[in-house]
Amino acid sequence: MPGLGTSFGRGGATTAQQDLANADAILIMGSSMAENHPVGFQWVMEARKRGATIIHVDPRFSRTSAMADIWVPLRAGSDIVLLGALIRYVLENQKDFREYVLHYTDAPVLLRDDFRDTEDLGGVFSGWDEQEKAYDPTTWAYRGAPVVQKGVGNSRAGGHAKDRGGEQSRENVYERDLTLQNPRCVYQVLRRHFSRYTPELVEEACGISKDVFYKIAEAFCSASGPEKTAAICYAVGWTQHSKGVQIIRAAAILQLLLGNVGRPGGGILALRGHASIQGSTDIPTLYDILPGYLPMPFFGSDGQSLEKYIEAHKTESGWWNNFDKYAVSLLKAYYGDAATPQNDFGFDWLPRVTGDHSHIGYWLDMADGKMEGLFVMGQNPAVGAPNSGLERRALAKLKWLVVRDMVETETASFWYDSPEVHGGEMRPETIDTEVFFFPGAGHAEKDGCFTNTQRLNQFHEKAVDPPGDARSETWFMYHLGRRLKERAARDARPRNAGLNALNWDYPAEGAIREPVVEEVLKEINGYTVADRKQVAGYRDLKADGSTACGCWIYSGIFPNTNENRARKREAKDALGHGWGWAWPSDRRILYNRASARPDGSPWSERKKLVWWDQEKQQWTGYDVPDFTITKAPDYEPPEGAKGDDALAGDKPFIMHPDGFGWIWVASGLKDGPLPTHYEPLEAPITNILYPEHPSDPAASKLEREGNEYARTADPDFPYVVTTYRLTEHHTAGGMSRYLSHLAELQPEFFCEMSPELAEEIGVEQGSWVTVSTARASIEARAQISTRMKPLRINGKTLHQVGLPYHWGYKGLVKGDSANDLVALSEEPNVRIMESKTLLCNVRPSRSSNGSRRITESSGEAQRSI
Amino acid sequence: MANPFMKWPLLRQIFQGGDARGFDAMSEATRNLRPKNDGAEVSRSVCPYCAVGCGQLVFHQDGKLISIEGDPESPISRGHLCPKGAASYELLTHPQRAKQVLYRAPRAKSWTQMDLDTAMDMVAERVWESRERTFVEEQDGQPVMHTKAIAHLGGATLDNEENYLIKKLFAAGLGMVCISNQARI
Amino acid sequence: MKVTAFLTDSTLCIGCKACEVACKEWNEVPADGFAWQGLSYDNTVALGHATWRHVQFVEGNPQPGHGGNSPDLLSWAFLSDVCKHCENAGCLEACPTGSIVRTEFGGVYIQPDVCNGCGYCVVSCPFGVIERSPDDGRAFKCTFCYDRQKAGLHPACATACPTESIKFGEIGELREEAEARVSELKAKGFDDVHVYDPRDSSVGGVHALFITRGDPKTYNLPPRPEVPTVRLGVGWKSAGVAAGLMLAGTLLAFLGGGHKAGGHADGQY
């Protein structure tokens, strides 16, 4: 989550859901929280009861809008215009929380004279290389900051570890102008950057009237200062864009200017969408990071040696000064006794990243026949991934496929039941893919931890055995690993060094030999190698090989042999201490040092959270302080201090080497130090601000056969389509369309549209329509409602339609997959696809069973061969 | 009760008096009604759907699930569940739940059933062979130690411990770099 | 034993249908069909034998700048409908087998082991709640989670509801809470809110109170629901009068025309 990671220091929601009750205003944007996080939404209702203003910005009037005070329909893809205008509103009207901004952010820091803004260069920042399609961020550095290296690894790869930014920052004290007047200070550069994001632009580009803009600007920005706070909630309505990270950056800037970060009722709540998706980035099954957001080694750069790796990522100040301790402890957890100082703790046994190995990256290789095998566990790309038609066709190019799930998903059955097979495009007799389908265990059939959206680990207990041959993933991985290690034991070639060294001794119990899950969690927590005793936390980790730790940010979750803190169920307070365990160190609201003044006293009685107790000489309050507990507010680091000691007592953002919240991100993001409005990859209008750069220049369209794009304002695709979830279903339907009680609530796939559009194209409620993009055509029922509004964009009427994406060809209720319409595209930092804004056409007709694609020229549907 | 006629509510009401609409009209079953999870064992769990992380109480007895509902002590969910969380019992017990390993040979038109151990052996074999064909140990004297031909997809619905083992075996052990899941930002 | 009730507040409802699912899961009620209805987001349509909680969706015409929580506009409202567990329940009155009973908590409960599927209850409900299952034959409706209440638990729907739009508790307290809530909303400018508790109709009040915006009829809540047995008095009277008149007429026929009858004895017809 680099948007939050670069701005604040950690890639995770800054606050807890319950804390929303303390907000004086809540902006929900890029999310329909009442529909997709209904139980979490009770805290928004609580805030509303206490008098908070709830603002919901969404192309459609949803069940969330029905509970909000203000609903703002906007054009999908124009979020940065609105957020930028709010930033401009704060700056022009002096609504920023000045003391907070001066002390806790990099607003006063001076930038280099050779930095050029998008306003200077017509839409790009200085350092743009048109050939490479990449930025050299040298000119973005703070004035006086030494530039360490251009960036780690291939510029096309990586991104999650860049979460932290800061590789460029070796020093932590820079020139600042505390009057905020110097034209080269971040504050003034920010002002200039957003100077044209006026309410007029909002009207033209977003379709939001000036009245409504001022209404929300006043409501949100007035909930700022010592006595008030405001929170922002977002979900994939912000992330699934070609500039998704920058949208979140814009929100982060707004919250830093308003002084809302680290304070009760403030912050940014990233609403994630799966039970343990936060966990699956913390302890990642992602290609570019290792547990705890350590980067994967890249061939040719930090992958050259352990020494180079540590040098590239260890900072002099801030917590990343301990990088080597985390890295070495991880290697010890992986490779056990075989990892020694002599062999660099097995660092050379780790695979190196050489390119884009993300889902989209390797799936295109798969489509080109370059992959042999694939494991799919608890995911359903055949209908759940972008351009799902292309995804399905690519599966047929594999030699073998292993699918593990609780039901026979569309992915498992692509070879006989997909639209491509029914339409004749593919035939089982010519599909060589060998397919293994393994039944999976459900959550009540296994022990294990989920990490929820607020970084909270909760352990779920096994209640019953899984049925038949269904097994947990733990069981599957353990026994697969056992078999492979047995083979490797007879084969000592260098390629098997990692496999042979792999520490895979987990105790297994019962007739089916299920590994004891808590033993794995203990490894994740970390232990001292000599006596296998659990460590109390990441402060105990060492770089000399005497400690092992599977994920340093989770260290402390299992601090003693019998203390699984994720399993605890004794909530002591509203923030939930005593119930589960949040990383890091059970801090529930991150950066909470910022809830106190520089001198350590609370900003106000009403908004106190954590403060300095002069008598006890430590930080205290309602949360675990996200700060060294005995570091006084007036602490000044001595000369030559390192790590956390190098941070003064008034610097809340402790993961950053300078301790500031970063309005300006000098390094770490591939598409700019500041968010800029670009149009989506398929846009109904040209970029009003920067016509020469219609979309994010660093994003990838990956154009190829089967992944074509509409032109800007393409007459064949005159409407904008956006995708979303419904409360009644879950993701691509594997956990809902097979359940009668959920299937009956929303049995059919529909397309929401306004009565105006329905009339224009000649459609009645419930009749079939074909929705098509440059990639595919699908059919849906017309769901006509005044909750969809036509917008006035750049002088013309624009219609938007909405598609819930839950359907597929298996289950009790079936329907076409909205993902067939989405393009495979990659946001530059995290490689996420743009599914929230596409160009489409809608016509009253039915599609046939096959997957159909529109040719570029004629707009007529043609069967693909 | 000796007299079987007294089971007839009408007679009972006539002879014993009382209100024909309430207790006296109740059958044995009604009078003895208890919730189906009465006295059952409880496991503390967490909803497997979205990321709110609602607490769940899983009631079970003798190895069988009885019902699932919200955990009132959760500071996040306060005992509530959305329709999906409320359907967790059906999620685990519906008839289309897969219980057998299915195998599809290349070019086959249908599944066959396979036993678990055989399937595991075959998968291990496939992994080994694909890795053999495609592993790159080093380039220009620097370690590469990877294969790009075997990939993994999945994780957001899996436990942390499971994801940990997946990354550990697949990446640190086998050298697979193509590892991804639903998470991005 | 305290008398309990539901208070279902539309202004807190997010239309999620957790109540529908929690009810079905607990009571093992099957799905009701997979036909798309196209009625806003409502595919459940009505209460019936296999639907004991039904979330209604009432669409208005939302305007930019106004959320659903605006007093001046009704954009999209949701309400979870349920059996009213009437004080004077038509179904209970009509039931000939004694299957339908009043529980100690004040709810109306159909005993599935007694019900013989005669269907008299179905036509007697002023709200159209109760229905016979076509497969099973018996009548079904909300049990008020009688089994759960007996163990001191709350009904499944109230337990699940994420925003506590469905509240459960002692009826007196809930009546007070409803009034307080309506006052609170009125003070915020919502002058179209109502509590639904028709105590002055023959139903005598309900154990499922509702707070709605706009006309309650929109939510299938008639202003004066009547128990059909309220006409029992009139019915018996009419029957009595008819019987009396018939008796009188017969008597008159015998008393008045006796000699005339005899006059026909020599065969003239």
PDB file of all heavy atoms in Angstrom, chain C residues 93-121:
ATOM      1  N   GLU C  93     -56.845 -16.265  16.400  1.00  0.00           N
ATOM      2  CA  GLU C  93     -58.298 -16.375  16.586  1.00  0.00           C
ATOM      3  C   GLU C  93     -58.882 -17.419  15.661  1.00  0.00           C
ATOM      4  O   GLU C  93     -59.792 -18.158  16.013  1.00  0.00           O
ATOM      5  CB  GLU C  93     -58.963 -15.023  16.279  1.00  0.00           C
ATOM      6  CG  GLU C  93     -58.532 -13.870  17.152  1.00  0.00           C
ATOM      7  CD  GLU C  93     -59.014 -13.989  18.580  1.00  0.00           C
ATOM      8  OE1 GLU C  93     -60.091 -14.575  18.789  1.00  0.00           O
ATOM      9  OE2 GLU C  93     -58.304 -13.520  19.469  1.00  0.00           O
ATOM     10  N   ALA C  94     -58.354 -17.447  14.440  1.00  0.00           N
ATOM     11  CA  ALA C  94     -58.964 -18.313  13.429  1.00  0.00           C
ATOM     12  C   ALA C  94     -58.542 -19.769  13.560  1.00  0.00           C
ATOM     13  O   ALA C  94     -59.232 -20.669  13.097  1.00  0.00           O
ATOM     14  CB  ALA C  94     -58.598 -17.792  12.038  1.00  0.00           C
ATOM     15  N   CYS C  95     -57.392 -20.000  14.161  1.00  0.00           N
ATOM     16  CA  CYS C  95     -56.847 -21.348  14.153  1.00  0.00           C
ATOM     17  C   CYS C  95     -57.731 -22.344  14.894  1.00  0.00           C
ATOM     18  O   CYS C  95     -57.954 -22.198  16.087  1.00  0.00           O
ATOM     19  CB  CYS C  95     -55.458 -21.349  14.783  1.00  0.00           C
ATOM     20  SG  CYS C  95     -54.737 -22.986  14.917  1.00  0.00           S
ATOM     21  N   PRO C  96     -58.214 -23.349  14.209  1.00  0.00           N
ATOM     22  CA  PRO C  96     -59.150 -24.280  14.852  1.00  0.00           C
ATOM     23  C   PRO C  96     -58.471 -25.382  15.650  1.00  0.00           C
ATOM     24  O   PRO C  96     -59.122 -26.037  16.458  1.00  0.00           O
ATOM     25  CB  PRO C  96     -59.905 -24.875  13.668  1.00  0.00           C
ATOM     26  CG  PRO C  96     -58.950 -24.811  12.535  1.00  0.00           C
ATOM     27  CD  PRO C  96     -58.048 -23.628  12.785  1.00  0.00           C
ATOM     28  N   THR C  97     -57.193 -25.605  15.426  1.00  0.00           N
ATOM     29  CA  THR C  97     -56.554 -26.745  16.079  1.00  0.00           C
ATOM     30  C   THR C  97     -55.825 -26.344  17.351  1.00  0.00           C
ATOM     31  O   THR C  97     -55.273 -27.195  18.032  1.00  0.00           O
ATOM     32  CB  THR C  97     -55.517 -27.377  15.135  1.00  0.00           C
ATOM     33  OG1 THR C  97     -54.511 -26.386  14.859  1.00  0.00           O
ATOM     34  CG2 THR C  97     -56.172 -27.841  13.853  1.00  0.00           C
ATOM     35  N   GLY C  98     -55.778 -25.050  17.633  1.00  0.00           N
ATOM     36  CA  GLY C  98     -54.985 -24.619  18.783  1.00  0.00           C
ATOM     37  C   GLY C  98     -53.495 -24.655  18.478  1.00  0.00           C
ATOM     38  O   GLY C  98     -52.666 -24.579  19.378  1.00  0.00           O
ATOM     39  N   SER C  99     -53.167 -24.757  17.196  1.00  0.00           N
ATOM     40  CA  SER C  99     -51.735 -24.752  16.842  1.00  0.00           C
ATOM     41  C   SER C  99     -51.123 -23.394  17.145  1.00  0.00           C
ATOM     42  O   SER C  99     -50.011 -23.306  17.660  1.00  0.00           O
ATOM     43  CB  SER C  99     -51.597 -25.071  15.349  1.00  0.00           C
ATOM     44  OG  SER C  99     -50.313 -24.724  14.913  1.00  0.00           O
ATOM     45  N   ILE C 100     -51.856 -22.339  16.804  1.00  0.00           N
ATOM     46  CA  ILE C 100     -51.308 -20.996  17.004  1.00  0.00           C
ATOM     47  C   ILE C 100     -51.603 -20.550  18.430  1.00  0.00           C
ATOM     48  O   ILE C 100     -52.764 -20.530  18.869  1.00  0.00           O
ATOM     49  CB  ILE C 100     -51.891 -20.000  15.991  1.00  0.00           C
ATOM     50  CG1 ILE C 100     -51.641 -20.508  14.563  1.00  0.00           C
ATOM     51  CG2 ILE C 100     -51.252 -18.628  16.189  1.00  0.00           C
ATOM     52  CD1 ILE C 100     -52.061 -19.569  13.465  1.00  0.00           C
ATOM     53  N   VAL C 101     -50.516 -20.218  19.129  1.00  0.00           N
ATOM     54  CA  VAL C 101     -50.641 -19.874  20.546  1.00  0.00           C
ATOM     55  C   VAL C 101     -49.934 -18.566  20.856  1.00  0.00           C
ATOM     56  O   VAL C 101     -49.095 -18.092  20.091  1.00  0.00           O
ATOM     57  CB  VAL C 101     -50.030 -20.981  21.433  1.00  0.00           C
ATOM     58  CG1 VAL C 101     -50.846 -22.253  21.337  1.00  0.00           C
ATOM     59  CG2 VAL C 101     -48.580 -21.247  21.062  1.00  0.00           C
ATOM     60  N   ARG C 102     -50.285 -17.999  21.985  1.00  0.00           N
ATOM     61  CA  ARG C 102     -49.612 -16.811  22.504  1.00  0.00           C
ATOM     62  C   ARG C 102     -48.550 -17.295  23.481  1.00  0.00           C
ATOM     63  O   ARG C 102     -48.854 -18.047  24.392  1.00  0.00           O
ATOM     64  CB  ARG C 102     -50.635 -15.927  23.252  1.00  0.00           C
ATOM     65  CG  ARG C 102     -50.057 -14.687  23.903  1.00  0.00           C
ATOM     66  CD  ARG C 102     -49.822 -13.545  22.949  1.00  0.00           C
ATOM     67  NE  ARG C 102     -50.993 -13.198  22.178  1.00  0.00           N
ATOM     68  CZ  ARG C 102     -50.995 -12.335  21.176  1.00  0.00           C
ATOM     69  NH1 ARG C 102     -49.881 -11.725  20.823  1.00  0.00           N
ATOM     70  NH2 ARG C 102     -52.112 -12.062  20.527  1.00  0.00           N
ATOM     71  N   THR C 103     -47.293 -16.884  23.262  1.00  0.00           N
ATOM     72  CA  THR C 103     -46.244 -17.329  24.171  1.00  0.00           C
ATOM     73  C   THR C 103     -46.183 -16.426  25.392  1.00  0.00           C
ATOM     74  O   THR C 103     -46.780 -15.350  25.416  1.00  0.00           O
ATOM     75  CB  THR C 103     -44.870 -17.307  23.483  1.00  0.00           C
ATOM     76  OG1 THR C 103     -44.471 -15.927  23.316  1.00  0.00           O
ATOM     77  CG2 THR C 103     -44.917 -18.004  22.147  1.00  0.00           C
ATOM     78  N   GLU C 104     -45.400 -16.881  26.343  1.00  0.00           N
ATOM     79  CA  GLU C 104     -45.263 -16.092  27.573  1.00  0.00           C
ATOM     80  C   GLU C 104     -44.567 -14.765  27.318  1.00  0.00           C
ATOM     81  O   GLU C 104     -44.582 -13.868  28.145  1.00  0.00           O
ATOM     82  CB  GLU C 104     -44.507 -16.900  28.638  1.00  0.00           C
ATOM     83  CG  GLU C 104     -43.087 -17.301  28.270  1.00  0.00           C
ATOM     84  CD  GLU C 104     -43.007 -18.668  27.582  1.00  0.00           C
ATOM     85  OE1 GLU C 104     -43.916 -18.999  26.786  1.00  0.00           O
ATOM     86  OE2 GLU C 104     -42.012 -19.377  27.826  1.00  0.00           O
ATOM     87  N   PHE C 105     -43.923 -14.621  26.140  1.00  0.00           N
ATOM     88  CA  PHE C 105     -43.260 -13.366  25.811  1.00  0.00           C
ATOM     89  C   PHE C 105     -44.175 -12.434  25.028  1.00  0.00           C
ATOM     90  O   PHE C 105     -43.770 -11.361  24.607  1.00  0.00           O
ATOM     91  CB  PHE C 105     -41.990 -13.628  24.990  1.00  0.00           C
ATOM     92  CG  PHE C 105     -41.030 -14.555  25.685  1.00  0.00           C
ATOM     93  CD1 PHE C 105     -40.864 -15.859  25.242  1.00  0.00           C
ATOM     94  CD2 PHE C 105     -40.315 -14.137  26.799  1.00  0.00           C
ATOM     95  CE1 PHE C 105     -39.993 -16.728  25.885  1.00  0.00           C
ATOM     96  CE2 PHE C 105     -39.440 -14.993  27.446  1.00  0.00           C
ATOM     97  CZ  PHE C 105     -39.285 -16.288  26.994  1.00  0.00           C
ATOM     98  N   GLY C 106     -45.381 -12.876  24.758  1.00  0.00           N
ATOM     99  CA  GLY C 106     -46.326 -12.032  24.036  1.00  0.00           C
ATOM    100  C   GLY C 106     -46.318 -12.249  22.539  1.00  0.00           C
ATOM    101  O   GLY C 106     -47.075 -11.619  21.811  1.00  0.00           O
ATOM    102  N   GLY C 107     -45.490 -13.140  22.059  1.00  0.00           N
ATOM    103  CA  GLY C 107     -45.438 -13.381  20.624  1.00  0.00           C
ATOM    104  C   GLY C 107     -46.494 -14.390  20.196  1.00  0.00           C
ATOM    105  O   GLY C 107     -47.112 -15.061  21.016  1.00  0.00           O
ATOM    106  N   VAL C 108     -46.693 -14.485  18.892  1.00  0.00           N
ATOM    107  CA  VAL C 108     -47.653 -15.432  18.334  1.00  0.00           C
ATOM    108  C   VAL C 108     -46.860 -16.538  17.657  1.00  0.00           C
ATOM    109  O   VAL C 108     -46.041 -16.269  16.780  1.00  0.00           O
ATOM    110  CB  VAL C 108     -48.565 -14.726  17.307  1.00  0.00           C
ATOM    111  CG1 VAL C 108     -49.504 -15.721  16.655  1.00  0.00           C
ATOM    112  CG2 VAL C 108     -49.338 -13.610  17.988  1.00  0.00           C
ATOM    113  N   TYR C 109     -47.109 -17.762  18.046  1.00  0.00           N
ATOM    114  CA  TYR C 109     -46.262 -18.886  17.621  1.00  0.00           C
ATOM    115  C   TYR C 109     -47.096 -20.006  17.034  1.00  0.00           C
ATOM    116  O   TYR C 109     -48.110 -20.403  17.614  1.00  0.00           O
ATOM    117  CB  TYR C 109     -45.481 -19.379  18.843  1.00  0.00           C
ATOM    118  CG  TYR C 109     -44.590 -20.572  18.600  1.00  0.00           C
ATOM    119  CD1 TYR C 109     -43.381 -20.441  17.908  1.00  0.00           C
ATOM    120  CD2 TYR C 109     -44.940 -21.833  19.086  1.00  0.00           C
ATOM    121  CE1 TYR C 109     -42.567 -21.526  17.699  1.00  0.00           C
ATOM    122  CE2 TYR C 109     -44.119 -22.926  18.877  1.00  0.00           C
ATOM    123  CZ  TYR C 109     -42.928 -22.771  18.189  1.00  0.00           C
ATOM    124  OH  TYR C 109     -42.097 -23.855  17.987  1.00  0.00           O
ATOM    125  N   ILE C 110     -46.706 -20.496  15.855  1.00  0.00           N
ATOM    126  CA  ILE C 110     -47.388 -21.643  15.243  1.00  0.00           C
ATOM    127  C   ILE C 110     -46.640 -22.894  15.649  1.00  0.00           C
ATOM    128  O   ILE C 110     -45.446 -23.016  15.378  1.00  0.00           O
ATOM    129  CB  ILE C 110     -47.358 -21.572  13.700  1.00  0.00           C
ATOM    130  CG1 ILE C 110     -47.852 -20.233  13.177  1.00  0.00           C
ATOM    131  CG2 ILE C 110     -48.169 -22.718  13.105  1.00  0.00           C
ATOM    132  CD1 ILE C 110     -47.694 -20.089  11.674  1.00  0.00           C
ATOM    133  N   GLN C 111     -47.335 -23.819  16.264  1.00  0.00           N
ATOM    134  CA  GLN C 111     -46.683 -25.068  16.663  1.00  0.00           C
ATOM    135  C   GLN C 111     -46.662 -25.992  15.448  1.00  0.00           C
ATOM    136  O   GLN C 111     -47.703 -26.494  15.024  1.00  0.00           O
ATOM    137  CB  GLN C 111     -47.458 -25.728  17.805  1.00  0.00           C
ATOM    138  CG  GLN C 111     -47.611 -24.814  19.012  1.00  0.00           C
ATOM    139  CD  GLN C 111     -48.379 -25.491  20.100  1.00  0.00           C
ATOM    140  OE1 GLN C 111     -47.811 -26.253  20.861  1.00  0.00           O
ATOM    141  NE2 GLN C 111     -49.673 -25.245  20.180  1.00  0.00           N
ATOM    142  N   PRO C 112     -45.481 -26.247  14.908  1.00  0.00           N
ATOM    143  CA  PRO C 112     -45.434 -27.035  13.669  1.00  0.00           C
ATOM    144  C   PRO C 112     -45.906 -28.470  13.843  1.00  0.00           C
ATOM    145  O   PRO C 112     -46.338 -29.101  12.892  1.00  0.00           O
ATOM    146  CB  PRO C 112     -43.944 -26.981  13.283  1.00  0.00           C
ATOM    147  CG  PRO C 112     -43.216 -26.577  14.507  1.00  0.00           C
ATOM    148  CD  PRO C 112     -44.156 -25.822  15.365  1.00  0.00           C
ATOM    149  N   ASP C 113     -45.881 -28.967  15.075  1.00  0.00           N
ATOM    150  CA  ASP C 113     -46.332 -30.345  15.292  1.00  0.00           C
ATOM    151  C   ASP C 113     -47.843 -30.436  15.498  1.00  0.00           C
ATOM    152  O   ASP C 113     -48.397 -31.514  15.623  1.00  0.00           O
ATOM    153  CB  ASP C 113     -45.599 -30.969  16.485  1.00  0.00           C
ATOM    154  CG  ASP C 113     -45.701 -30.121  17.747  1.00  0.00           C
ATOM    155  OD1 ASP C 113     -45.850 -28.884  17.634  1.00  0.00           O
ATOM    156  OD2 ASP C 113     -45.626 -30.683  18.849  1.00  0.00           O
ATOM    157  N   VAL C 114     -48.506 -29.300  15.535  1.00  0.00           N
ATOM    158  CA  VAL C 114     -49.964 -29.327  15.724  1.00  0.00           C
ATOM    159  C   VAL C 114     -50.675 -28.862  14.455  1.00  0.00           C
ATOM    160  O   VAL C 114     -51.767 -29.338  14.130  1.00  0.00           O
ATOM    161  CB  VAL C 114     -50.374 -28.425  16.912  1.00  0.00           C
ATOM    162  CG1 VAL C 114     -51.876 -28.429  17.107  1.00  0.00           C
ATOM    163  CG2 VAL C 114     -49.654 -28.854  18.177  1.00  0.00           C
ATOM    164  N   CYS C 115     -50.058 -27.945  13.726  1.00  0.00           N
ATOM    165  CA  CYS C 115     -50.680 -27.367  12.538  1.00  0.00           C
ATOM    166  C   CYS C 115     -51.083 -28.446  11.556  1.00  0.00           C
ATOM    167  O   CYS C 115     -50.294 -29.338  11.234  1.00  0.00           O
ATOM    168  CB  CYS C 115     -49.704 -26.412  11.869  1.00  0.00           C
ATOM    169  SG  CYS C 115     -50.285 -25.760  10.296  1.00  0.00           S
ATOM    170  N   ASN C 116     -52.317 -28.397  11.083  1.00  0.00           N
ATOM    171  CA  ASN C 116     -52.782 -29.394  10.116  1.00  0.00           C
ATOM    172  C   ASN C 116     -52.942 -28.815   8.723  1.00  0.00           C
ATOM    173  O   ASN C 116     -53.459 -29.465   7.834  1.00  0.00           O
ATOM    174  CB  ASN C 116     -54.107 -30.021  10.587  1.00  0.00           C
ATOM    175  CG  ASN C 116     -55.252 -29.014  10.500  1.00  0.00           C
ATOM    176  OD1 ASN C 116     -55.055 -27.829  10.218  1.00  0.00           O
ATOM    177  ND2 ASN C 116     -56.461 -29.487  10.738  1.00  0.00           N
ATOM    178  N   GLY C 117     -52.490 -27.589   8.530  1.00  0.00           N
ATOM    179  CA  GLY C 117     -52.507 -27.010   7.190  1.00  0.00           C
ATOM    180  C   GLY C 117     -53.879 -26.608   6.687  1.00  0.00           C
ATOM    181  O   GLY C 117     -54.083 -26.511   5.480  1.00  0.00           O
ATOM    182  N   CYS C 118     -54.808 -26.321   7.573  1.00  0.00           N
ATOM    183  CA  CYS C 118     -56.147 -25.980   7.092  1.00  0.00           C
ATOM    184  C   CYS C 118     -56.186 -24.637   6.386  1.00  0.00           C
ATOM    185  O   CYS C 118     -57.045 -24.401   5.550  1.00  0.00           O
ATOM    186  CB  CYS C 118     -57.142 -25.994   8.254  1.00  0.00           C
ATOM    187  SG  CYS C 118     -56.912 -24.622   9.428  1.00  0.00           S
ATOM    188  N   GLY C 119     -55.289 -23.729   6.766  1.00  0.00           N
ATOM    189  CA  GLY C 119     -55.195 -22.454   6.063  1.00  0.00           C
ATOM    190  C   GLY C 119     -56.157 -21.385   6.535  1.00  0.00           C
ATOM    191  O   GLY C 119     -56.203 -20.304   5.940  1.00  0.00           O
ATOM    192  N   TYR C 120     -56.890 -21.624   7.598  1.00  0.00           N
ATOM    193  CA  TYR C 120     -57.819 -20.585   8.073  1.00  0.00           C
ATOM    194  C   TYR C 120     -57.053 -19.336   8.489  1.00  0.00           C
ATOM    195  O   TYR C 120     -57.527 -18.205   8.354  1.00  0.00           O
ATOM    196  CB  TYR C 120     -58.614 -21.078   9.291  1.00  0.00           C
ATOM    197  CG  TYR C 120     -59.641 -22.150   8.997  1.00  0.00           C
ATOM    198  CD1 TYR C 120     -59.733 -22.753   7.738  1.00  0.00           C
ATOM    199  CD2 TYR C 120     -60.509 -22.585   9.997  1.00  0.00           C
ATOM    200  CE1 TYR C 120     -60.664 -23.740   7.499  1.00  0.00           C
ATOM    201  CE2 TYR C 120     -61.448 -23.574   9.762  1.00  0.00           C
ATOM    202  CZ  TYR C 120     -61.515 -24.150   8.509  1.00  0.00           C
ATOM    203  OH  TYR C 120     -62.433 -25.134   8.290  1.00  0.00           O
ATOM    204  N   CYS C 121     -55.861 -19.547   9.010  1.00  0.00           N
ATOM    205  CA  CYS C 121     -55.073 -18.417   9.502  1.00  0.00           C
ATOM    206  C   CYS C 121     -54.689 -17.488   8.354  1.00  0.00           C
ATOM    207  O   CYS C 121     -54.608 -16.275   8.536  1.00  0.00           O
ATOM    208  CB  CYS C 121     -53.824 -18.925  10.208  1.00  0.00           C
ATOM    209  SG  CYS C 121     -52.827 -20.034   9.179  1.00  0.00           S
TER     210      CYS C 121
END
